[in-house]
């Protein structure tokens, strides 16, 4: 996350925070916001330049310093604390409900109280059927899949599933020894030992089909270890090739949905990004799926592969059109 992206929410939260704590020491406020006192002073200096349209005396936020303490003397209407959007509230509710029903959670009452507070603050936001996170929809089918997985975990049973592997655009049959349920970036996942791959794998629940709880016990091998998802599900290895893409304005969501390095803002709202990818066919499908709203700048071999696949698709479409008219 860029420094500007981290700073904006902090600036918006600072005024209501300081209003509730007049005369607070700057080092204490810095500790609460997990920044250095020097950084917090810079934030406060920037707040002096913020305020209502007109931006003259009486329009800007005003602060009062007394030694190492600070108070807000004019808030320019920024008295209310930040509120969750509907999508953010729904994502939190989904995650907390899954947490409350996960074996091993001790203080489920505390989780229940947190859910109630979020739903009340967000106007009783309901997660089912509501778009959350990166445009993900919590369908009833996914909820049923999660219930089946939870049942298998509680009973210590293996699972058989049909699974869509998006990276290979292929449906596969798997037998899995479940290890845990988790939510990463608003998506529900099953982590388990895949007997086919002979390794630990993460399975996105909305890509699972024909899920069956088996009579045989779940038995991950002793050396199976939980995956590190602190940086998301996909961890691009340094050995993976890199692609530079130029995204049209309505394709900028790619930079938020996939791990990317934003390189430059371009004219017309375009964005140049750099992505690592482990499978060329997956990257080709991603670019083609954007329908001309992404341009491959490099590597040349990826651009050639995209053109070749696009030409083959057009030739196939023309053939079907001619065949249909005969």
């Amino acid at each position: 996350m860029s420094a500007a992206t981290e700073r904006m929410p902090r600036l918006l939260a600072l005024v209501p925070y300081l209003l509730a704590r007049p005369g607070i020491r700057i080092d204490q406020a810095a500790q609460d916001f997990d920044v250095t006192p020097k950084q917090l002073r810079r934030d406060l200096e920037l707040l002096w330049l913020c305020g209502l349209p007109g931006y003259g005396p009486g329009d800007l936020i005003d602060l009062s310093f007394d030694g190492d303490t600070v108070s807000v003397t004019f808030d320019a209407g920024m008295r209310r604390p930040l509120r969750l959007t509907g999508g953010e509230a729904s994502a939190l509710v989904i995650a907390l409900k899954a947490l409350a029903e996960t074996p091993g959670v001790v203080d489920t009452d505390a989780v229940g109280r947190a859910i109630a507070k979020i739903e009340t603050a967000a106007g009783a936001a309901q997660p089912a059927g509501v778009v959350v996170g990166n445009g993900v929809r919590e369908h009833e089918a996914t909820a049923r899949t999660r219930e089946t997985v939870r049942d298998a975990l509680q009973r210590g049973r293996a699972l058989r599933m049909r699974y869509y592997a998006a990276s290979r655009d292929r449906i596969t049959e798997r037998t899995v020894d479940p290890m845990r349920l988790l939510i990463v970036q608003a998506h529900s996942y099953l982590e388990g030992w895949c007997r086919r791959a002979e390794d630990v794998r993460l399975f996105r629940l909305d890509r699972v089909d024909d899920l069956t709880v088996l009579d045989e016990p779940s038995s991950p091998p002793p050396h199976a270890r939980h995956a590190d998802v602190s940086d998301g599900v996909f961890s691009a290895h340094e050995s993976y090739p890199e692609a530079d893409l130029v995204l049209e304005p309505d394709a900028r969501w790619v930079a938020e949905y996939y791990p990317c390095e934003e390189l430059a803002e371009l004219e017309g709202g375009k964005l140049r990004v750099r992505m690592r990818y482990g499978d060329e066919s997956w990257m080709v499908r991603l670019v083609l799926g954007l329908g001309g709203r992404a341009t491959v700048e490099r590597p040349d071999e990826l651009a050639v592969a995209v053109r070749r696949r696009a030409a083959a698709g057009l030739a196939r479409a023309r053939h079907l059109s001619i065949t249909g008219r005969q």
Side-chain angles (χ1 to χ4, degrees), residues 243-246 283 287 294-300 302-303 306-307:
D244 286 359
L245 308 178
V246 173
M283 179 59 82
V287 174
T295 303
V296 178
E297 289 192 328
R298 74 173 189 94
D300 292 339
L302 176 61
V306 170
R307 288 195 293 269

Side-chain angles (χ1 to χ4, degrees), residues 7 37 76 124 152 155 164 239 245 247 266 292 322:
R7 194 180 191 188
R155 295 167 52 196
Y164 171 65
S239 63
L245 308 178
L247 304 174
L266 305 178
I322 294 172

Side-chain angles (χ1 to χ4, degrees), residues 57-200:
D59 299 321
L60 301 179
I61 294 170
D62 200 3
L63 306 171
S64 172
F65 293 89
D66 184 5
D68 291 329
T69 68
V70 61
S71 300
V72 174
T73 56
F74 178 65
D75 58 36
M78 294 182 62
R79 178 171 295 274
R80 290 185 301 172
L82 293 175
R83 297 190 181 278
L84 296 172
T85 65
E88 291 168 339
S90 297
L92 281 174
V93 170
I94 291 170
L96 287 169
K97 286 186 175 180
L99 179 65
E101 298 168 353
T102 300
V105 175
V106 178
D107 197 351
T108 54
D109 289 341
V111 177
R113 291 194 298 272
I115 292 172
K117 289 180 180 179
I118 293 171
E119 289 182 334
T120 300
Q126 297 297 321
V130 177
V131 176
V132 299
N134 298 315
V136 181
R137 189 177 295 272
E138 180 75 358
H139 289 296
E140 291 183 6
T142 304
R144 289 195 299 269
T145 298
R146 189 170 60 241
E147 290 299 322
T148 303
V149 171
R150 185 178 297 112
D151 176 61
L153 279 165
Q154 292 174 341
R155 295 167 52 196
R157 294 288 187 268
L159 290 165
R160 181 179 293 124
M161 71 175 72
R162 180 189 297 173
Y163 185 73
Y164 171 65
S167 61
R168 295 176 175 82
D169 193 24
R170 186 181 306 163
I171 294 176
T172 59
E173 301 285 342
R174 313 278 185 122
T175 300
V176 177
D177 298 300
M179 295 167 61
R180 62 173 173 166
L181 268 171
L182 64 162
I183 293 180
V184 183
Q185 297 172 337
H187 293 287
S188 298
Y189 289 87
L190 160 66
E191 181 182 58
W193 178 264
C194 177
R195 298 182 186 178
R196 171 177 173 161
E198 296 186 340
D199 201 355
V200 174

Side-chain angles (χ1 to χ4, degrees), residues 241-247 258-264 271-276 283 297-298:
E242 292 180 333
D244 286 359
L245 308 178
V246 173
L247 304 174
Y258 299 102
C260 290
E261 177 187 355
E262 296 187 9
L263 299 180
L271 180 67
R272 178 179 288 116
V273 300
R274 179 166 295 159
M275 294 178 63
R276 289 189 182 271
M283 179 59 82
E297 289 192 328
R298 74 173 189 94

